[in-house]
Amino acid sequence: MAAITAALVGELRAKTDAPMMECKKALTEAEGDMVRAEEILRVKLGSKASKASSRITSEGVVATYIAGGIGALVEINCETDFVTKNDEFIALANAVAKVIAEKNPADLVALAALPLGDKTVEETRTELIGRIGENMSIRRFQRFETTGKLVSYLHGTRIGVVVEFDGADEQVGKDVAMHIAAMKPVALSSDQVPADLIEKERSVASLKAAESGKPADIVAKMVDGSVQKYLKEVSLFNQSFVKNDKQTVEQMLKAANTSVKSFSMFVVGEGIEKKQDDFAAEVAAQVAAAKQAQ
């Protein structure tokens, strides 16, 4: 058996980024065979990843990639805000965005099987979970392909926007993307607002109007007025432009001879139920367990 030297352990760590002691154990088990030791570590890291897989991932980053008329927007989640600042985690998000744009996977399952370097996307994700010790998941993505132009805007790493537009001035597209990140419209125009959102708003408005005690015909007008106000507030073209509230986005675009065809926005953790830790209850449970053990 080859001697397990510090240099050999260091070489395996450089290849896998696994903890030093884990590298030494793997080399010992593999009797100094570097290739076998790498495989042993992959199995161990995979096991570690499996243990983490049940934990909620409500933090994370949004990444974008654009090359000409092809682009991608992806959200990758983790458990804590600390990991969102990890260089490897950020690099994974950027690499996955590029893979989506270039390979056009049909869904998350297809994406996981695509090559990323000398591994698949799933193998890369799993190994990074093993090294960092925190669950990570690719939550959603959207790919864009257009004969027009694409532009992206990231507000930090938590909000990402991609806009598809036609126009000579790319800055106008960037301004619209920034506006979307700030004002969070749900559709381009009022007639494109999803029906379920309209019904939800109508239900809330009906309950409020009913409390006024006014006649039914007046209540109906109040509800309609509230719904119309809501539609203007959540449709991009009707919103006041953030850089000049004297004009709507639609007016700004017309003046700039620019048209927006579509947009997509991801906000990290949107719709994910975050785990709420009850510290006092946790301490009480630990004290109770300690008493029972005595």
Side-chain angles (χ1 to χ4, degrees), residues 78-187:
C78 55
E79 295 178 57
T80 65
D81 182 61
F82 178 76
V83 170
T84 65
K85 299 173 179 61
N86 180 281
D87 289 341
E88 284 188 285
F89 182 70
I90 294 171
L92 173 65
N94 290 329
V96 169
K98 184 177 181 181
V99 167
I100 292 166
E102 293 179 344
K103 302 299 183 181
N104 192 20
D107 51 31
L108 289 171
V109 174
L111 172 60
L114 288 174
L116 183 59
D118 59 352
K119 304 179 182 70
T120 65
V121 169
E122 177 60 17
E123 287 170 343
T124 303
R125 182 191 74 89
T126 302
E127 289 189 10
L128 188 56
I129 290 173
R131 288 200 295 275
I132 294 178
E134 185 168 309
N135 193 19
M136 301 169 194
S137 61
I138 301 173
R139 183 187 180 198
R140 53 181 171 167
F141 70 85
Q142 185 168 342
R143 184 180 182 272
F144 306 83
E145 188 166 351
T146 179
T147 55
K149 296 180 180 179
L150 294 173
V151 69
S152 65
Y153 173 76
L154 289 173
H155 187 72
T157 56
R158 295 189 61 83
I159 301 175
V161 178
V162 172
V163 174
E164 178 190 5
F165 73 103
D166 282 325
D169 190 349
E170 188 166 320
Q171 185 58 48
V172 175
K174 291 180 179 179
D175 286 345
V176 172
M178 182 184 69
H179 170 98
I180 291 168
M183 302 306 294
K184 299 179 176 57
V186 300

Side-chain angles (χ1 to χ4, degrees), residues 8-20 23 27 34 41:
L8 200 60
V9 173
E11 183 182 348
L12 182 58
R13 175 170 167 74
K15 285 185 175 183
T16 63
D17 202 27
M20 293 291 282
C23 290
L27 282 164
M34 182 65 70
L41 279 177

